[in-house]
Amino acid sequence: MITEIIVGIAVIFAGLMALASARAIWVAPDALTRTNVLGPTTCIAIPVLLMAKLLHDWVTDGFDPNDTVRAVLSITGMLVVASVSSFYMGRALFSTCLLYTSDAADE
């Protein structure tokens, strides 16, 4: 019973994080800022959802090492991919912003 409450709170927390990130993307002034505000969703909300699912599976079906390894690999892989892709998107957007800024200054 208590674990279901914990899982429910974790899911609600992750949903609120995703909603807050969506709102921040909506009001962000430029593309570089929009890329950077995805951090709470990709680095906090999705891992919390995966851990909540793992906790629910442990309570209902018992401990399964296969599920644990898959959850750990999923969280690790997602964090690595999110950080690398955010880095490259940020570099590309920053260089694009510099290009347009220098073109505007020349005119």
Side-chain angles (χ1 to χ4, degrees):
M1 178 69 179
I2 190 77
T3 55
E4 292 174 353
I5 294 171
I6 293 171
V7 169
I9 290 171
V11 169
I12 290 171
F13 172 73
L16 290 174
M17 291 289 293
L19 185 64
S21 292
R23 172 74 177 130
I25 290 170
W26 188 263
V27 298
D30 59 350
L32 185 59
T33 307
R34 288 184 189 125
T35 301
N36 289 330
V37 297
L38 283 173
T41 299
T42 57
C43 295
I44 297 173
I46 296 174
V48 166
L49 283 175
L50 289 171
M51 288 186 287
K53 171 70 168 105
L54 185 63
L55 179 63
H56 182 265
D57 285 346
W58 283 349
V59 171
T60 56
D61 299 332
F63 179 77
D64 185 11
N66 185 29
D67 288 342
T68 306
V69 169
R70 288 189 317 176
V72 168
L73 288 176
S74 296
I75 292 171
T76 304
M78 188 210 49
L79 291 175
V80 168
V81 168
S83 63
V84 171
S85 63
S86 176
F87 174 75
Y88 281 110
M89 284 190 304
R91 282 180 57 110
L93 288 169
F94 183 71
S95 63
T96 303
C97 290
L98 285 179
L99 178 69
Y100 285 126
T101 304
S102 65
D103 286 345
D106 291 340
E107 292 178 357

